[in-house]
Amino acid sequence: YATAKGSNLTVYSELPKSVVTTPPSSTSSTSSTVASKVAAIPRTGLNSAGVKKTADGYEFTNPTYYKNPLVVEVLENQGDWMKVLITARPNHTTGWIKADDVTIAATDFHMELDLSTFHLKVFQGAVVFVETDVVIGKDSTPTPVGRFFVTEKIKNPSDTGIYGAWILPINGYSEVLDTFDNGLPQVAFHGTNQPELVRTKSSNGCVRIPNDVVVKIAGAIPAGTPIDIFATTP
């Protein structure tokens, strides 16, 4: 994953024509899941919490709205340029950043969520670090599937609120909601004050985790940790 150095990170939808990449890389941004029922995020006229659409792509403010370092997931390293997964809708949108604009780090943590079994596993390397059953989105507001990453870690002032001890936003948005609670419909993994709802479809798309488990996860993983969400485990 890459962390922005400056106060802004420019993400280009396409590489400049003068830049030659190593095959089989694509030179344009992509999206493997198209949110056909809802509009793009960010877009002109929508409060995007530190993210805006530009003529060439996107501009992200660093630090984030919650005052954490801005992180993106690196998909390809082409030397002077990097292909990255960003926080945008359609989900799984990618773009290109200049390598000089970021610092690179790695993690051996990754997360896998099987929606069909309500089961979340957090791996450290090949070893299961922690696993738990969770709450997922209702059929009318489903949790999106695909590859995502944790964008930041937000500690709540109280462990007893509806979002529990920690919020771990991911780079995906709801694919049916255009706004949520007067803000963006960004999906997050977070704690809960209703553990009795575990193993049910009860959320607006977020993943609710028992508080003792989310505390353990947040204490171990860095922002940038990849997450694979499956309809069923492949």
Side-chain angles (χ1 to χ4, degrees):
Y1 59 93
T3 303
K5 292 180 180 178
S7 59
N8 293 283
L9 180 65
T10 299
V11 179
Y12 298 88
S13 293
E14 296 184 359
L15 281 173
K17 296 185 184 302
S18 59
V19 177
V20 178
T21 62
T22 302
S25 172
S26 168
T27 58
S28 63
S29 61
T30 61
S31 173
S32 57
T33 300
V34 177
S36 58
K37 297 181 180 180
V38 284
I41 298 176
R43 64 181 185 268
T44 303
L46 178 72
N47 173 21
S48 53
V51 187
K52 67 180 182 180
K53 189 74 178 70
T54 65
D56 298 326
Y58 308 87
E59 187 172 281
F60 291 80
T61 299
N62 182 45
T64 69
Y65 179 82
Y66 292 100
K67 307 306 179 186
N68 291 308
L70 175 69
V71 171
V72 293
E73 183 175 341
V74 178
L75 302 177
E76 294 181 25
N77 187 337
Q78 295 286 348
D80 292 337
W81 293 85
M82 294 182 176
K83 187 177 183 180
V84 294
L85 184 63
I86 62 173
T87 305
R89 191 171 69 189
N91 288 333
H92 317 304
T93 295
T94 64
W96 294 88
I97 61 173
K98 294 179 179 179
D100 288 344
D101 291 342
V102 295
T103 57
I104 303 299
T107 178
D108 59 353
F109 282 98
H110 71 280
M111 302 167 66
E112 293 183 359
L113 172 60
D114 182 341
L115 297 176
S116 68
T117 60
F118 304 90
H119 198 66
L120 173 69
K121 291 183 179 180
V122 181
F123 293 87
Q124 186 171 17
V127 177
V128 176
F129 172 75
V130 68
E131 59 183 315
T132 183
D133 289 336
V134 297
V135 179
I136 63 172
K138 295 175 285 189
D139 287 338
S140 58
T141 53
T143 301
V145 298
R147 163 59 64 94
F148 301 94
F149 65 92
V150 176
T151 59
E152 56 189 318
K153 302 190 297 184
I154 303 168
K155 179 70 174 74
N156 286 322
S158 170
D159 293 355
T160 59
I162 59 174
Y163 298 111
W166 284 88
I167 302 174
L168 307 174
I170 66 174
N171 66 304
Y173 291 102
S174 168
E175 292 175 346
V176 295
L177 301 175
D178 200 34
T179 61
F180 178 73
D181 196 22
N182 297 315
L184 297 179
Q186 187 171 0
V187 175
F189 286 53
H190 60 75
T192 182
N193 61 356
Q194 295 179 291
E196 68 275 9
L197 295 179
V198 166
R199 291 191 58 80
T200 67
K201 297 179 179 181
S202 302
S203 82
N204 291 297
C206 287
V207 177
R208 303 179 193 172
I209 304 170
N211 263 342
D212 59 330
V213 181
V214 80
V215 168
K216 187 173 183 179
I217 294 172
I221 69 168
T225 296
I227 301 172
D228 288 305
I229 303 177
F230 305 108
T232 58
T233 299

